[in-house]
Amino acid sequence: MPVSSYLHPTAMVWDAFELQERAYFPDGTEVRPIAEPPVLPKAPAGLRLRGVEKAFGDNRVLRGIDLDVPAGQFVAIVGKSGCGKSTLLRLLVGLDEPTGGEIDFIDDGGDRVAPDARIVFQEPRLLPWFSVADNVAVGLGDGVPKAFARREAELVLEEVQLSEKAKEWPAKLSGGQRQRVALARALVSRPGLLALDEPLGALDALTRISMQQLLTRVWRELGFTAVLVTHDVTEAVHLADRVIVLDEGQVTLDLAVPQPHPRHHGDPELALLEGRLLAAVLGES
Amino acid sequence: MTTIDTFSEGRKLRRATSGTPRTLTEGTLTEDRTQASQNPPKGAADSVQATAGKPAGLRTISRGTWLPYLVPVGLVLVWQVLSSTGLISDRIMPSPVAVVAAFWERLLSGELGRDVAVSGARALSGLLIGGSIGFLLGIANGVSKLSEQLTDTTLQMLRTIPHLAMIPLVILWFGIGEEAKLFLTSLGVLFPIYLNTYHGVKNVDRDLVEMGKIYGMSSWSLFRKVIFPGALPSIFVGLRYALGIMWLTLIVSESIAANSGIGYMANTAREFMMTEVVVLALVIYAVLGKLADVIARALERWALSWNAAYQA
Ligand SMILES: Nc1ncnc2c1ncn2[C@@H]1O[C@H](COP(=O)(O)OP(=O)(O)O)[C@@H](O)[C@H]1O
Ligand SMILES: [Mg+2]
């Protein structure tokens, strides 16, 4: 069954209905011939937020957020449930419009660039009727030649250590593996910024630790800007360069985590930072 | 041995369950699971008995194979005996052998092939026309709010009219020719396909649709990669239900008036009191109905093989 999923009816019928095969990516860059090496990481995109607000009716969820994220940084956002973390991420990736303020994507020099973000949710949101590789290829957008898309997908799958599952159905994977496929799908177009909304929240403790290591490694190899929302302060201080605490729609703490990678569980300095963060999240500072 | 036993029991039950009409795939899924999980004790008990006796395994398995056929084969035998001894008059019921003979004779003369082809073509064209209309309306109303508001209430109202009750009107409109049969069959299959397609599209995971939009899918891509495959299990439920209605409608409309087809064969045979041909017609309807269902199910298993519930 898994061996032939490329020959599966759904795949075959869909291929037949592919409207037109362009030799260009959606952004206009030409698609390279199959034999060339993988796409080089694009330049990371930083963020500049000025007075960002979001209200749902009378519910003022975000109340003026100012934030500068340099290109390539790994930022973690923590905060109580319902404080607006997901809302903020959805604004960053353009899923919703802010009701006030401005969000700009910037390059190394601080100049504005085109928005270039992807998002990974807590649930992987894979298409159960597509093979793992085809799910990843969804991340390249419409109109990319099939053979190219699959090859590109397999390269990213290698990155998240899932090459051998390329032709499987998502239903055959574990929770951690599915989340890695979702990560690969988000990264296959080499975005400048990756937003992650509690991506490891549904995984068991051991899987979570290995996923954290994987995330750190992928971030360092591909060099995108990462914005991670998590409810786990330990996770935040282990992964991020900087942790931001959100409370009642405002930034209440902005903490640098200068420790070099790889970081080890049980590092006393990290534990100290963790304590400060926890106090801030719980409103005890 | 226990595993073999449990396995075959499980498959049998699964088949039996999925044979009944379904309204919701999920419902059947859980049903299958509960039935399967209730199995092991039964299978285990069987094999304990088997080991307590002697030759064991083989007997248990083969019993499972022939036992279901015992009753039907026995009934046919009894029927044949009763007919041969004259206890049942062949005015009322022909003997099984007579039915087989009628089958053979009509098969060789080519009449049977022609009648089956005519009826099959009527059924298929009705399915194609009514099914396409139902499918397109289901998709349109599932995807577009405007289309839904415009037509869904109307369709839900029309659906409550039993389509066979329209026969007098249909005869007035179309006479008793092919159009009448085509119209009735199309009308019959339209609603189950419409309802299940609509339901399927409406129930496609919203998160997946949002995901498709995040990755910049065009409406066409979103339809063919997310919405249609997501609705497909439900569409198949509608198709299989529609197949039943398709044959039923055809049988009724062919017996009103026809000059070819299986219904015509049965009706002319009735005039000449050839009961064996009447019974033959019944058997053929049953075989055609079963065949259509088997094909639909094979198609379903093939197209939905990504779904664990349909994996062999
Ligand atoms: N689409 C929406 N419509 C109305 N209210 C919303 C919507 N999305 C989020 N909210 C509200 O915004 C608040 C913050 O939600 P969210 O950003 O999901 O919090 P969290 O920090 O737990 O991710 C909640 O009070 C929630 O009810
Ligand atoms: Mg959230």
Side-chain angles (χ1 to χ4, degrees):
Chain A
M1 184 73 56
V3 191
S4 61
S5 60
Y6 282 175
L7 295 174
H8 179 264
T10 338
M12 286 179 345
V13 172
W14 299 163
D15 289 357
F17 280 97
E18 190 81 57
L19 275 186
Q20 91 237 60
E21 301 227 319
R22 279 179 297 163
Y24 298 91
F25 276 124
D27 66 2
T29 50
E30 198 174 344
V31 169
R32 294 162 301 99
I34 301 297
E36 278 186 29
V39 189
L40 291 172
K42 278 189 280 184
L47 282 172
R48 182 163 55 213
L49 276 65
R50 291 291 175 267
V52 171
E53 294 182 10
K54 178 72 182 176
F56 296 102
D58 290 340
N59 185 5
R60 288 178 61 215
V61 178
L62 299 178
R63 307 178 178 194
I65 301 225
D66 295 309
L67 189 65
D68 286 283
V69 180
Q73 193 173 53
F74 198 132
V75 193
I77 301 176
V78 296
K80 290 196 199 95
S81 179
C83 70
K85 306 182 295 291
S86 298
T87 306
L88 180 60
L89 277 202
R90 291 175 67 88
L91 295 183
L92 294 186
V93 300
L95 273 175
D96 276 320
E97 288 296 314
T99 43
E102 277 182 27
I103 299 176
D104 287 321
F105 282 68
I106 52 171
D107 63 14
D108 287 343
D111 292 326
R112 283 179 59 176
V113 293
D116 180 21
R118 291 293 193 212
I119 186 165
V120 174
F121 297 97
Q122 181 167 335
E123 7 28 282
R125 304 195 183 183
L126 303 180
L127 298 172
W129 40 84
F130 276 11
S131 69
V132 165
D134 284 350
N135 265 289
V136 174
V138 164
L140 287 171
D142 286 342
V144 176
K146 208 85 198 178
F148 173 82
R150 277 185 180 145
R151 207 186 84 105
E152 217 48 35
E154 276 162 23
L155 286 170
V156 201
L157 281 171
E158 222 165 276
E159 198 76 46
V160 298
Q161 294 159 0
L162 272 182
S163 309
E164 78 282 9
K165 301 287 185 193
K167 297 181 182 183
E168 288 280 9
W169 299 123
K172 300 258 166 134
L173 306 186
S174 70
Q177 289 173 331
R178 280 181 216 172
Q179 204 55 323
R180 267 142 72 192
V181 178
L183 183 66
R185 180 181 60 195
L187 292 176
V188 69
S189 63
R190 317 286 159 167
L193 183 139
L194 181 67
L196 303 122
D197 194 352
E198 307 201 12
L200 314 182
L203 305 176
D204 64 86
L206 282 179
T207 313
R208 199 147 73 212
I209 290 175
S210 64
M211 286 289 285
Q212 289 169 357
Q213 288 165 352
L214 181 108
L215 212 53
T216 308
R217 205 202 69 229
V218 170
W219 167 67
R220 293 174 71 188
E221 276 173 13
L222 300 183
F224 48 85
T225 308
V227 183
L228 168 76
V229 162
T230 175
H231 55 250
D232 179 349
V233 288
T234 316
E235 183 169 292
V237 295
H238 273 88
L239 297 184
D241 295 326
R242 172 186 180 193
V243 185
I244 282 163
V245 177
L246 213 57
D247 192 26
E248 298 194 339
Q250 282 176 323
V251 176
T252 53
L253 182 68
D254 188 341
L255 190 72
V257 186
Q259 271 74 12
H261 286 278
R263 297 173 184 167
H264 300 286
H265 284 261
D267 181 329
E269 291 187 49
L270 288 180
L272 219 62
L273 289 176
E274 230 181 285
R276 277 185 65 192
L277 271 175
L278 208 53
V281 171
L282 298 173
E284 293 165 0
S285 55
Chain B
M1 202 191 341
T2 314
T3 42
I4 292 172
D5 211 348
T6 317
F7 182 61
S8 64
E9 288 279 344
R11 297 215 345 184
K12 211 166 57 205
L13 270 172
R14 181 178 296 261
R15 229 175 278 141
T17 325
S18 51
T20 57
R22 297 176 294 180
T23 42
L24 265 179
T25 352
E26 289 88 334
T28 328
L29 225 170
T30 42
E31 221 172 276
D32 272 0
R33 267 200 217 112
T34 40
Q35 294 223 9
S37 60
Q38 278 161 5
N39 265 322
K42 192 168 169 262
D46 268 8
S47 56
V48 167
Q49 278 176 1
T51 26
K54 274 179 283 170
L58 262 178
R59 204 192 60 202
T60 326
I61 291 168
S62 62
R63 193 186 68 185
T65 318
W66 58 259
L67 205 56
Y69 297 101
L70 185 65
V71 175
V73 169
L75 279 176
V76 171
L77 284 177
V78 170
W79 172 15
Q80 180 65 43
V81 168
L82 290 178
S83 293
S84 309
T85 54
L87 278 170
I88 300 181
S89 147
D90 58 4
R91 290 266 175 96
I92 295 173
M93 198 68 175
S95 76
V97 172
V99 175
V100 173
F103 167 75
W104 194 241
E105 183 194 317
R106 276 160 188 268
L107 186 70
L108 290 186
S109 76
E111 266 174 279
L112 188 68
R114 213 167 334 116
D115 285 331
V116 168
V118 168
S119 291
R122 279 177 190 148
L124 277 185
S125 38
L127 180 69
L128 216 63
I129 294 173
S132 310
I133 296 173
F135 174 75
L136 291 176
L137 282 171
I139 296 284
N141 289 1
V143 174
S144 150
K145 195 83 199 156
L146 178 71
S147 169
E148 180 185 12
Q149 285 171 339
L150 201 63
T151 60
D152 184 56
T153 311
T154 314
L155 285 164
Q156 299 288 352
M157 272 167 11
L158 288 177
R159 169 176 87 92
T160 58
I161 304 172
H163 67 293
L164 292 177
M166 290 184 66
I167 287 177
L169 200 56
V170 168
I171 292 177
L172 283 179
W173 289 346
F174 300 106
I176 51 174
E178 289 303 312
E179 296 90 345
K181 297 180 196 61
L182 198 62
F183 180 84
L184 280 172
T185 321
S186 304
L187 196 66
V189 299
L190 193 155
F191 293 107
I193 302 250
Y194 166 72
L195 286 176
N196 284 284
T197 306
Y198 174 67
H199 175 264
V201 172
K202 278 276 166 192
N203 282 290
V204 171
D205 189 346
R206 305 229 133 236
D207 281 353
L208 288 184
V209 175
E210 190 185 63
M211 183 281 296
K213 287 180 181 157
I214 292 173
Y215 285 101
M217 286 188 189
S218 63
S219 330
W220 172 241
S221 268
L222 197 65
F223 173 74
R224 80 190 169 90
K225 291 181 179 170
V226 182
I227 294 171
F228 178 70
L232 205 52
S234 179
I235 294 174
F236 268 111
V237 172
L239 175 67
R240 287 179 52 200
Y241 193 69
L243 288 177
I245 294 187
M246 171 186 88
W247 289 118
L248 183 74
T249 314
L250 193 72
I251 292 166
V252 173
S253 50
E254 277 190 344
S255 57
I256 297 164
N259 47 25
S260 59
I262 305 163
Y264 168 74
M265 177 180 99
N267 268 322
T268 31
R270 173 180 53 87
E271 282 169 25
F272 297 102
M273 301 238 258
M274 295 159 74
T275 47
E276 70 276 10
V277 178
V278 176
V279 172
L280 176 63
L282 296 184
V283 173
I284 288 172
Y285 275 133
V287 169
L288 286 179
K290 182 71 193 168
L291 194 68
D293 192 58
V294 166
I295 292 173
R297 270 213 257 168
L299 206 63
E300 185 179 34
R301 252 203 312 281
W302 179 66
L304 303 184
S305 53
W306 50 267
N307 186 330
Y310 296 93
Q311 273 161 15

